[in-house]
Amino acid sequence: MTKTRVLSIALCLACAAGAASAADVKSVLLSSFTPKGQATLDRLDQDATQKACSTGAPLSGEAAAKIIADNTATIRYPADGQYLGDWKNGDKIAQTGTGLQSSDDPAKPSGGNCYACHQLAEAEIAYGTIGPSLKQYGKLRGNSESMLKYTWAKIYNAQAFMPCSTMPRFGHKNILTEQQIRDVMALLFDPASPVNQ
């Protein structure tokens, strides 16, 4: 049995028994991980949202409202008001699952890995179903300023809309650049994009 598997079982048993505090869990994690490349130990440091969502306990209405407010405050819209980039680049970003791993080149941009959770286009045969289908996203919703702002904000920080969402906070956590978010937005809204066929 691997060291990781043994640690996972020990943590699960300790948590189930109520014996492990957050400090105990973090101590075990710190002792079992080693930094490699860009995957450093600071990844184990949780912000307030991650801490609130990691307990496994249901959120109170007050806690959910705080997560929404805190994360809404992080959203940065494009200063020039331009929400859409190049859908072809957006498609590459959506279909790329690399970035931020220890083996990835930190000089290369991260991918969005969108297909892992969403269907993007009718022609796709392999896609995840954790998130809703995005097929015909712009065609069905239009491209009003309010829809563009909503979609930008959802990509930038999904926790502003749904506390403890499993969607990455792409902008807030600097996973995607502003230009990459523009390109993904174009993938979702451009009539020529495969998403809207």
Side-chain angles (χ1 to χ4, degrees), residues 26-122:
K26 186 164 183 180
S27 174
V28 170
L29 290 173
L30 284 170
S31 70
S32 65
F33 286 98
T34 56
K36 182 178 177 188
Q38 62 182 335
T40 57
L41 294 180
D42 64 338
R43 292 183 180 199
L44 298 176
D45 297 331
Q46 294 185 315
D47 64 20
T49 296
Q50 292 165 321
K51 286 178 184 174
C53 294
S54 294
T55 66
L59 292 175
S60 68
E62 184 178 311
K66 179 163 178 33
I67 288 171
I68 290 171
D70 289 350
N71 286 278
T72 298
T74 72
I75 296 170
R76 301 290 173 259
Y77 296 97
D80 62 4
Q82 297 298 313
Y83 290 95
L84 304 180
D86 180 337
W87 74 259
K88 291 178 184 175
N89 288 337
D91 193 38
K92 290 176 192 167
I93 294 162
Q95 300 297 334
T96 300
T98 58
L100 304 179
Q101 303 298 319
S102 63
S103 58
D104 293 332
D105 181 351
K108 293 184 179 177
S110 297
N113 204 23
C114 307
Y115 75 94
C117 298
H118 303 279
Q119 180 182 18
L120 296 165
E122 184 68 37

Coordinates of all heavy atoms in Angstrom, one line a residue, residues 26-122:
K26 N -3.7 19.4 8.6 CA -2.7 20.2 7.8 C -1.3 19.7 8.1 O -0.4 19.6 7.2 CB -2.7 21.7 8.1 CG -1.8 22.5 7.3 CD -2.1 24.0 7.2 CE -1.1 24.6 6.3 NZ -1.3 26.0 6.2
S27 N -1.0 19.3 9.4 CA 0.3 18.8 9.8 C 0.6 17.5 9.0 O 1.7 17.3 8.5 CB 0.3 18.5 11.3 OG 1.5 17.9 11.6
V28 N -0.4 16.6 8.9 CA -0.2 15.4 8.1 C 0.1 15.7 6.7 O 1.0 15.1 6.0 CB -1.4 14.4 8.3 CG1 -1.3 13.3 7.4 CG2 -1.4 14.0 9.8
L29 N -0.7 16.6 6.1 CA -0.5 17.0 4.7 C 0.9 17.6 4.5 O 1.5 17.2 3.5 CB -1.6 17.9 4.3 CG -3.0 17.4 4.1 CD1 -4.0 18.5 3.9 CD2 -3.1 16.3 3.1
L30 N 1.3 18.5 5.3 CA 2.6 19.1 5.2 C 3.7 18.1 5.2 O 4.7 18.2 4.6 CB 2.8 20.2 6.2 CG 2.1 21.5 5.9 CD1 2.2 22.4 7.2 CD2 2.6 22.2 4.7
S31 N 3.6 17.1 6.1 CA 4.6 16.1 6.2 C 4.6 15.1 5.1 O 5.6 14.4 4.9 CB 4.5 15.3 7.5 OG 3.3 14.5 7.5
S32 N 3.5 15.0 4.3 CA 3.4 14.0 3.3 C 3.6 14.5 1.9 O 3.8 13.7 0.9 CB 2.1 13.3 3.4 OG 1.0 14.1 3.1
F33 N 3.6 15.8 1.7 CA 3.8 16.4 0.4 C 5.2 17.1 0.3 O 5.6 17.6 1.3 CB 2.7 17.4 0.0 CG 1.4 16.8 -0.3 CD1 0.4 16.7 0.7 CD2 1.1 16.3 -1.5 CE1 -0.8 16.2 0.4 CE2 -0.1 15.8 -1.8 CZ -1.1 15.7 -0.9
T34 N 5.8 17.1 -0.8 CA 7.0 17.8 -1.1 C 6.8 18.7 -2.2 O 6.1 18.4 -3.2 CB 8.2 16.9 -1.3 OG1 7.8 16.0 -2.4 CG2 8.5 16.0 -0.1
P35 N 7.4 19.9 -2.2 CA 7.2 20.9 -3.3 C 8.0 20.3 -4.5 O 9.0 19.7 -4.4 CB 7.8 22.2 -2.8 CG 8.7 21.8 -1.7 CD 8.2 20.5 -1.1
K36 N 7.4 20.6 -5.7 CA 8.0 20.2 -6.9 C 7.7 21.2 -8.0 O 6.5 21.3 -8.3 CB 7.6 18.8 -7.3 CG 8.3 18.3 -8.6 CD 7.9 16.9 -8.9 CE 8.5 16.4 -10.3 NZ 8.0 15.2 -10.7
G37 N 8.7 21.8 -8.5 CA 8.4 22.8 -9.6 C 7.5 23.9 -9.1 O 7.7 24.5 -8.0
Q38 N 6.4 24.2 -9.8 CA 5.5 25.3 -9.4 C 4.5 24.8 -8.4 O 3.7 25.6 -7.9 CB 4.9 25.9 -10.7 CG 4.0 24.9 -11.5 CD 3.4 25.5 -12.7 OE1 3.2 26.7 -12.7 NE2 3.1 24.7 -13.7
A39 N 4.4 23.5 -8.2 CA 3.5 22.9 -7.2 C 4.1 23.0 -5.8 O 4.8 22.1 -5.3 CB 3.1 21.5 -7.5
T40 N 4.0 24.2 -5.1 CA 4.6 24.4 -3.9 C 3.6 24.2 -2.7 O 2.4 24.0 -2.9 CB 5.1 25.9 -3.8 OG1 4.0 26.8 -4.0 CG2 6.2 26.1 -4.9
L41 N 4.1 24.1 -1.5 CA 3.3 23.8 -0.3 C 2.3 24.9 0.0 O 1.3 24.6 0.8 CB 4.2 23.5 0.9 CG 5.0 22.2 0.7 CD1 5.9 22.0 2.0 CD2 4.2 21.0 0.4
D42 N 2.4 26.1 -0.6 CA 1.4 27.1 -0.3 C 0.1 26.8 -0.8 O -0.9 27.3 -0.4 CB 1.9 28.5 -0.8 CG 2.0 28.5 -2.3 OD1 2.1 27.5 -3.0 OD2 2.0 29.6 -2.9
R43 N 0.0 25.7 -1.7 CA -1.3 25.3 -2.2 C -2.1 24.6 -1.1 O -3.3 24.5 -1.2 CB -1.1 24.3 -3.3 CG -0.5 24.9 -4.5 CD -0.4 23.9 -5.6 NE 0.2 24.5 -6.8 CZ 0.1 24.0 -8.0 NH1 -0.6 22.9 -8.2 NH2 0.6 24.7 -9.0
L44 N -1.5 24.3 0.0 CA -2.2 23.7 1.2 C -2.9 24.8 2.0 O -3.7 24.5 2.9 CB -1.3 22.9 2.0 CG -0.8 21.6 1.3 CD1 0.2 20.9 2.2 CD2 -1.9 20.7 0.8
D45 N -2.5 26.1 1.8 CA -3.1 27.2 2.6 C -4.4 27.6 2.0 O -4.5 27.9 0.8 CB -2.1 28.4 2.5 CG -0.8 28.2 3.2 OD1 -0.7 27.3 4.1 OD2 0.2 28.8 2.8
Q46 N -5.5 27.4 2.8 CA -6.8 27.7 2.3 C -7.2 29.1 2.7 O -6.9 29.6 3.7 CB -7.8 26.7 3.0 CG -7.6 25.3 2.6 CD -8.7 24.4 3.2 OE1 -9.0 24.5 4.4 NE2 -9.3 23.5 2.4
D47 N -8.0 29.7 1.7 CA -8.6 31.0 2.1 C -9.9 30.8 2.8 O -10.3 29.6 3.0 CB -8.7 31.9 0.8 CG -9.7 31.3 -0.2 OD1 -10.6 30.5 0.1 OD2 -9.7 31.8 -1.4
A48 N -10.6 31.8 3.2 CA -11.8 31.7 4.0 C -12.8 30.8 3.3 O -13.5 30.0 4.0 CB -12.3 33.0 4.4
T49 N -13.0 31.0 2.0 CA -14.0 30.3 1.3 C -13.6 28.8 1.3 O -14.5 27.9 1.5 CB -14.1 30.8 -0.2 OG1 -14.5 32.1 -0.1 CG2 -15.0 29.9 -1.0
Q50 N -12.4 28.5 1.0 CA -12.0 27.0 1.0 C -12.2 26.4 2.4 O -12.6 25.3 2.5 CB -10.6 26.9 0.5 CG -10.4 27.3 -0.9 CD -8.9 27.5 -1.3 OE1 -8.2 28.1 -0.5 NE2 -8.6 27.1 -2.5
K51 N -11.9 27.2 3.4 CA -12.0 26.6 4.8 C -13.5 26.3 5.1 O -13.9 25.3 5.6 CB -11.5 27.6 5.8 CG -10.0 27.6 5.9 CD -9.4 28.6 6.9 CE -7.9 28.7 6.8 NZ -7.4 29.8 7.7
A52 N -14.4 27.3 4.7 CA -15.8 27.1 5.0 C -16.4 25.9 4.2 O -17.3 25.2 4.7 CB -16.5 28.4 4.6
C53 N -15.8 25.7 3.0 CA -16.4 24.7 2.1 C -15.7 23.3 2.4 O -16.2 22.3 1.8 CB -16.2 25.1 0.7 SG -17.2 26.5 0.2
S54 N -14.7 23.2 3.2 CA -14.0 22.0 3.4 C -14.5 21.2 4.6 O -14.0 20.1 4.9 CB -12.5 22.3 3.6 OG -12.0 22.7 2.3
T55 N -15.4 21.8 5.4 CA -15.8 21.1 6.6 C -16.7 19.9 6.4 O -16.8 19.0 7.2 CB -16.5 22.1 7.5 OG1 -17.7 22.5 6.9 CG2 -15.7 23.3 7.9
G56 N -17.4 20.0 5.3 CA -18.4 18.9 5.0 C -19.7 19.2 5.6 O -20.7 18.5 5.4
A57 N -19.8 20.2 6.5 CA -21.0 20.5 7.2 C -21.8 21.4 6.3 O -21.3 22.2 5.5 CB -20.7 21.2 8.5
P58 N -23.2 21.4 6.3 CA -24.0 22.3 5.5 C -23.7 23.7 6.0 O -23.5 24.0 7.1 CB -25.4 21.9 5.9 CG -25.3 20.6 6.5 CD -24.0 20.4 7.1
L59 N -23.7 24.6 5.0 CA -23.5 26.0 5.3 C -24.8 26.7 5.8 O -25.9 26.4 5.4 CB -23.1 26.8 4.0 CG -21.8 26.5 3.4 CD1 -21.7 27.3 2.1 CD2 -20.7 26.9 4.3
S60 N -24.6 27.6 6.8 CA -25.7 28.3 7.3 C -26.0 29.4 6.2 O -25.2 29.7 5.4 CB -25.4 29.0 8.6 OG -24.4 30.0 8.4
G61 N -27.2 30.0 6.3 CA -27.5 31.1 5.3 C -26.5 32.2 5.5 O -26.1 32.8 4.5
E62 N -26.1 32.5 6.7 CA -25.2 33.6 6.9 C -23.8 33.3 6.3 O -23.2 34.1 5.7 CB -25.1 33.8 8.4 CG -24.2 35.0 8.8 CD -24.1 35.2 10.3 OE1 -25.2 35.2 11.0 OE2 -23.0 35.3 10.8
A63 N -23.4 32.0 6.5 CA -22.1 31.6 5.9 C -22.1 31.7 4.4 O -21.2 32.1 3.7 CB -21.7 30.3 6.4
A64 N -23.2 31.2 3.8 CA -23.3 31.2 2.3 C -23.3 32.7 1.8 O -22.7 33.0 0.8 CB -24.6 30.5 1.9
A65 N -24.0 33.5 2.5 CA -24.1 35.0 2.1 C -22.7 35.6 2.2 O -22.3 36.4 1.3 CB -25.1 35.7 3.0
K66 N -21.9 35.2 3.2 CA -20.6 35.8 3.4 C -19.7 35.3 2.2 O -18.9 36.1 1.7 CB -20.0 35.4 4.7 CG -18.6 35.9 4.9 CD -18.1 35.9 6.3 CE -16.7 36.4 6.5 NZ -16.2 37.5 5.6
I67 N -19.8 34.0 1.9 CA -19.0 33.5 0.7 C -19.3 34.3 -0.5 O -18.4 34.7 -1.3 CB -19.2 32.0 0.6 CG1 -18.5 31.2 1.7 CG2 -18.7 31.5 -0.8 CD1 -18.8 29.8 1.8
I68 N -20.6 34.5 -0.8 CA -21.0 35.2 -2.0 C -20.5 36.6 -2.0 O -19.9 37.1 -3.0 CB -22.6 35.2 -2.1 CG1 -23.0 33.7 -2.5 CG2 -23.1 36.2 -3.2 CD1 -24.5 33.5 -2.4
A69 N -20.7 37.3 -0.9 CA -20.2 38.7 -0.8 C -18.7 38.8 -0.9 O -18.2 39.6 -1.7 CB -20.6 39.3 0.6
D70 N -18.0 37.9 -0.2 CA -16.5 38.0 -0.3 C -16.0 37.7 -1.7 O -15.0 38.4 -2.2 CB -15.9 36.9 0.7 CG -16.0 37.3 2.1 OD1 -16.4 38.4 2.5 OD2 -15.7 36.4 3.0
N71 N -16.6 36.8 -2.4 CA -16.1 36.4 -3.7 C -16.6 37.4 -4.8 O -15.9 37.6 -5.8 CB -16.5 35.0 -4.0 CG -15.6 34.0 -3.3 OD1 -14.5 33.7 -3.7 ND2 -16.0 33.5 -2.1
T72 N -17.8 38.0 -4.6 CA -18.2 39.0 -5.5 C -17.3 40.2 -5.5 O -17.0 40.8 -6.5 CB -19.7 39.4 -5.1 OG1 -20.5 38.3 -5.3 CG2 -20.1 40.6 -6.0
A73 N -16.7 40.5 -4.3 CA -15.8 41.6 -4.2 C -14.5 41.4 -5.0 O -13.8 42.3 -5.2 CB -15.5 41.9 -2.7
T74 N -14.2 40.1 -5.3 CA -12.9 39.9 -6.0 C -13.0 40.0 -7.5 O -12.0 40.0 -8.2 CB -12.4 38.4 -5.7 OG1 -13.3 37.5 -6.4 CG2 -12.3 38.1 -4.3
I75 N -14.2 40.1 -8.1 CA -14.4 40.1 -9.5 C -13.9 41.4 -10.1 O -14.2 42.5 -9.7 CB -15.9 39.8 -9.9 CG1 -16.3 38.4 -9.4 CG2 -16.1 40.0 -11.4 CD1 -17.8 38.2 -9.5
R76 N -13.1 41.2 -11.2 CA -12.5 42.3 -11.9 C -13.0 42.2 -13.4 O -12.6 41.2 -14.0 CB -11.0 42.3 -11.8 CG -10.4 42.4 -10.4 CD -10.7 43.8 -9.8 NE -10.3 43.8 -8.4 CZ -11.1 43.7 -7.4 NH1 -12.4 43.6 -7.6 NH2 -10.7 43.8 -6.2
Y77 N -13.8 43.1 -13.8 CA -14.2 43.2 -15.2 C -13.1 43.8 -16.0 O -12.3 44.6 -15.6 CB -15.5 43.9 -15.3 CG -16.7 43.2 -14.5 CD1 -17.0 43.6 -13.3 CD2 -17.4 42.2 -15.1 CE1 -18.0 43.0 -12.6 CE2 -18.4 41.5 -14.4 CZ -18.7 42.0 -13.1 OH -19.7 41.3 -12.5
P78 N -13.1 43.5 -17.3 CA -12.1 44.1 -18.2 C -12.2 45.6 -18.2 O -13.3 46.2 -18.4 CB -12.4 43.5 -19.6 CG -13.7 42.9 -19.5 CD -14.0 42.7 -18.1
A79 N -11.1 46.3 -17.9 CA -11.1 47.8 -17.8 C -11.5 48.5 -19.1 O -12.1 49.5 -19.0 CB -9.6 48.2 -17.4
D80 N -11.2 47.8 -20.2 CA -11.6 48.5 -21.5 C -13.0 48.1 -21.9 O -13.5 48.5 -23.0 CB -10.6 48.1 -22.6 CG -10.5 46.6 -22.9 OD1 -11.3 45.8 -22.3 OD2 -9.7 46.2 -23.7
G81 N -13.7 47.3 -21.1 CA -15.1 46.9 -21.5 C -15.2 45.9 -22.6 O -16.3 45.6 -23.0
Q82 N -14.1 45.4 -23.0 CA -14.1 44.3 -24.1 C -14.2 43.0 -23.5 O -13.2 42.5 -22.8 CB -12.9 44.5 -25.0 CG -12.8 45.8 -25.7 CD -13.9 46.0 -26.7 OE1 -14.3 45.1 -27.4 NE2 -14.5 47.2 -26.6
Y83 N -15.3 42.3 -23.6 CA -15.5 41.0 -23.0 C -15.1 39.8 -23.9 O -14.9 38.7 -23.5 CB -17.0 40.8 -22.6 CG -17.4 41.7 -21.5 CD1 -18.0 42.9 -21.7 CD2 -17.2 41.2 -20.2 CE1 -18.3 43.7 -20.6 CE2 -17.5 42.0 -19.1 CZ -18.1 43.2 -19.3 OH -18.5 44.0 -18.2
L84 N -15.1 40.1 -25.2 CA -14.9 39.0 -26.2 C -13.6 39.1 -26.9 O -13.1 40.1 -27.3 CB -16.0 39.0 -27.2 CG -17.4 38.9 -26.7 CD1 -18.4 38.9 -27.8 CD2 -17.6 37.7 -25.8
G85 N -12.9 37.9 -27.0 CA -11.6 37.8 -27.7 C -11.8 37.0 -29.0 O -12.7 37.2 -29.8
D86 N -11.0 36.0 -29.1 CA -10.9 35.1 -30.3 C -11.4 33.7 -29.9 O -10.8 33.0 -29.1 CB -9.5 35.0 -30.8 CG -9.3 34.1 -32.0 OD1 -10.1 33.2 -32.3 OD2 -8.3 34.3 -32.7
W87 N -12.6 33.3 -30.5 CA -13.2 32.1 -30.1 C -12.3 30.9 -30.4 O -12.3 29.9 -29.7 CB -14.6 31.9 -30.7 CG -14.6 31.6 -32.2 CD1 -14.9 32.4 -33.2 CD2 -14.5 30.3 -32.8 NE1 -14.9 31.8 -34.4 CE2 -14.6 30.5 -34.2 CE3 -14.1 29.0 -32.3 CZ2 -14.5 29.4 -35.1 CZ3 -14.0 28.0 -33.2 CH2 -14.2 28.2 -34.6
K88 N -11.4 31.0 -31.5 CA -10.5 29.9 -31.8 C -9.5 29.6 -30.7 O -9.2 28.5 -30.3 CB -9.9 30.1 -33.2 CG -10.8 30.0 -34.3 CD -10.2 30.3 -35.6 CE -11.2 30.3 -36.7 NZ -10.7 30.7 -38.0
N89 N -9.0 30.7 -30.2 CA -8.1 30.6 -29.0 C -8.9 30.1 -27.8 O -8.4 29.3 -27.0 CB -7.4 31.9 -28.7 CG -6.4 32.3 -29.7 OD1 -5.8 31.5 -30.4 ND2 -6.1 33.6 -29.8
G90 N -10.1 30.6 -27.6 CA -11.0 30.1 -26.5 C -11.2 28.6 -26.6 O -11.2 27.9 -25.6
D91 N -11.4 28.1 -27.8 CA -11.6 26.6 -28.0 C -10.3 25.9 -27.5 O -10.5 24.8 -26.8 CB -11.9 26.3 -29.4 CG -12.5 24.9 -29.6 OD1 -13.2 24.4 -28.7 OD2 -12.2 24.3 -30.6
K92 N -9.2 26.4 -27.9 CA -7.9 25.7 -27.5 C -7.8 25.7 -25.9 O -7.4 24.7 -25.3 CB -6.7 26.4 -28.1 CG -6.6 26.2 -29.6 CD -5.4 27.0 -30.1 CE -5.5 27.1 -31.6 NZ -4.6 28.1 -32.2
I93 N -8.1 26.8 -25.3 CA -8.1 27.0 -23.9 C -9.0 26.0 -23.2 O -8.7 25.3 -22.2 CB -8.4 28.4 -23.4 CG1 -7.2 29.3 -23.9 CG2 -8.5 28.5 -21.9 CD1 -7.6 30.8 -23.9
A94 N -10.3 25.9 -23.7 CA -11.3 25.1 -23.2 C -11.0 23.6 -23.3 O -11.3 22.8 -22.4 CB -12.6 25.4 -23.9
Q95 N -10.2 23.3 -24.3 CA -9.9 21.8 -24.6 C -8.5 21.5 -24.0 O -8.1 20.3 -24.1 CB -9.9 21.6 -26.1 CG -11.2 21.8 -26.8 CD -12.3 21.0 -26.3 OE1 -12.1 19.8 -25.8 NE2 -13.5 21.4 -26.4
T96 N -7.8 22.4 -23.3 CA -6.5 22.1 -22.8 C -6.6 21.9 -21.3 O -7.1 22.8 -20.6 CB -5.5 23.3 -23.1 OG1 -5.4 23.4 -24.5 CG2 -4.2 23.0 -22.5
G97 N -6.1 20.8 -20.8 CA -6.2 20.5 -19.4 C -4.9 20.7 -18.7 O -4.7 20.3 -17.5
T98 N -3.9 21.2 -19.3 CA -2.6 21.4 -18.6 C -2.5 22.8 -18.0 O -3.2 23.7 -18.3 CB -1.4 21.3 -19.6 OG1 -1.6 22.2 -20.7 CG2 -1.4 19.9 -20.2
G99 N -1.5 22.9 -17.1 CA -1.2 24.1 -16.4 C -1.3 23.9 -14.9 O -2.1 23.2 -14.3
L100 N -0.3 24.6 -14.2 CA -0.2 24.6 -12.8 C 0.2 23.3 -12.1 O 0.2 23.1 -10.9 CB -1.5 25.1 -12.1 CG -2.0 26.5 -12.6 CD1 -3.3 26.8 -11.9 CD2 -1.0 27.5 -12.3
Q101 N 0.4 22.2 -12.9 CA 0.9 21.0 -12.4 C 2.4 21.0 -12.2 O 3.1 21.8 -12.9 CB 0.6 19.8 -13.3 CG -0.9 19.7 -13.6 CD -1.7 19.4 -12.3 OE1 -1.3 18.7 -11.5 NE2 -2.9 20.1 -12.2
S102 N 3.0 20.2 -11.4 CA 4.4 20.2 -11.2 C 5.2 19.9 -12.4 O 6.3 20.5 -12.6 CB 4.8 19.2 -10.1 OG 4.5 17.9 -10.5
S103 N 4.6 19.2 -13.3 CA 5.3 18.8 -14.6 C 5.1 19.8 -15.7 O 5.7 19.7 -16.8 CB 4.9 17.4 -15.0 OG 3.5 17.4 -15.2
D104 N 4.2 20.8 -15.5 CA 4.0 21.7 -16.6 C 5.0 22.9 -16.6 O 5.5 23.2 -15.5 CB 2.5 22.3 -16.4 CG 1.5 21.3 -16.7 OD1 1.7 20.3 -17.4 OD2 0.4 21.4 -16.1
D105 N 5.2 23.4 -17.7 CA 6.1 24.6 -17.9 C 5.4 25.8 -17.4 O 4.4 26.2 -18.0 CB 6.5 24.7 -19.3 CG 7.5 25.9 -19.6 OD1 7.7 26.7 -18.6 OD2 8.0 26.0 -20.7
P106 N 5.8 26.5 -16.3 CA 5.1 27.7 -15.8 C 5.1 28.8 -16.7 O 4.4 29.8 -16.6 CB 5.8 28.0 -14.5 CG 7.1 27.3 -14.6 CD 7.0 26.1 -15.5
A107 N 6.0 28.8 -17.7 CA 6.1 29.9 -18.7 C 5.0 29.8 -19.7 O 4.7 30.7 -20.4 CB 7.4 29.9 -19.4
K108 N 4.3 28.6 -19.8 CA 3.3 28.4 -20.8 C 1.9 28.7 -20.1 O 1.8 28.4 -18.9 CB 3.3 27.0 -21.4 CG 4.5 26.7 -22.2 CD 4.5 25.4 -22.8 CE 5.7 25.1 -23.7 NZ 5.7 23.8 -24.2
P109 N 0.9 29.2 -20.8 CA -0.3 29.5 -20.2 C -1.1 28.2 -19.8 O -0.9 27.2 -20.4 CB -1.1 30.3 -21.3 CG -0.4 29.9 -22.6 CD 1.0 29.6 -22.2
S110 N -1.9 28.4 -18.8 CA -2.7 27.2 -18.3 C -3.9 27.1 -19.2 O -4.3 28.0 -19.9 CB -3.2 27.5 -16.9 OG -2.2 27.6 -16.0
G111 N -4.4 25.9 -19.2 CA -5.7 25.6 -20.0 C -6.9 25.8 -19.0 O -6.7 25.9 -17.8
G112 N -8.0 25.8 -19.6 CA -9.3 25.9 -18.8 C -9.8 24.6 -18.4 O -10.6 24.4 -17.4
N113 N -9.5 23.5 -19.3 CA -10.0 22.2 -19.0 C -11.5 22.2 -18.9 O -12.1 21.3 -18.2 CB -9.4 21.6 -17.7 CG -9.4 20.1 -17.7 OD1 -9.4 19.5 -18.7 ND2 -9.3 19.6 -16.5
C114 N -12.2 23.1 -19.7 CA -13.7 23.2 -19.6 C -14.4 21.9 -20.0 O -15.4 21.6 -19.4 CB -14.1 24.4 -20.5 SG -13.3 25.9 -20.2
Y115 N -13.9 21.2 -21.0 CA -14.5 20.0 -21.4 C -14.6 18.9 -20.4 O -15.4 18.0 -20.5 CB -13.8 19.4 -22.7 CG -12.5 18.8 -22.4 CD1 -12.5 17.4 -22.2 CD2 -11.4 19.5 -22.2 CE1 -11.2 16.8 -21.9 CE2 -10.2 18.9 -21.9 CZ -10.1 17.5 -21.7 OH -8.9 16.9 -21.4
A116 N -13.8 19.0 -19.3 CA -13.8 18.0 -18.3 C -15.1 18.0 -17.5 O -15.5 17.0 -16.9 CB -12.6 18.2 -17.4
C117 N -15.8 19.2 -17.5 CA -17.0 19.3 -16.7 C -18.3 19.7 -17.6 O -19.4 19.6 -17.1 CB -16.9 20.4 -15.7 SG -15.6 20.0 -14.5
H118 N -18.1 20.2 -18.8 CA -19.1 20.8 -19.6 C -19.1 20.2 -21.0 O -18.0 20.1 -21.6 CB -19.0 22.3 -19.7 CG -19.0 23.0 -18.5 ND1 -20.2 23.3 -17.8 CD2 -18.0 23.6 -17.8 CE1 -19.8 24.0 -16.7 NE2 -18.5 24.2 -16.6
Q119 N -20.3 20.0 -21.6 CA -20.4 19.8 -23.0 C -20.3 21.2 -23.7 O -21.1 22.1 -23.2 CB -21.7 19.1 -23.4 CG -21.8 18.9 -24.9 CD -23.1 18.2 -25.4 OE1 -24.0 18.2 -24.7 NE2 -23.0 17.7 -26.6
L120 N -19.5 21.3 -24.6 CA -19.3 22.6 -25.3 C -20.0 22.7 -26.6 O -20.5 23.7 -27.0 CB -17.8 23.0 -25.4 CG -17.1 23.2 -24.1 CD1 -15.6 23.2 -24.3 CD2 -17.6 24.5 -23.4
A121 N -19.9 21.6 -27.4 CA -20.5 21.6 -28.7 C -21.2 20.3 -29.0 O -20.8 19.3 -28.5 CB -19.4 21.9 -29.7
E122 N -22.1 20.3 -30.0 CA -22.8 19.2 -30.4 C -21.9 18.0 -30.9 O -22.2 16.9 -30.6 CB -23.8 19.5 -31.5 CG -24.7 18.4 -32.0 CD -25.7 18.0 -30.9 OE1 -26.2 18.8 -30.2 OE2 -26.0 16.8 -30.8

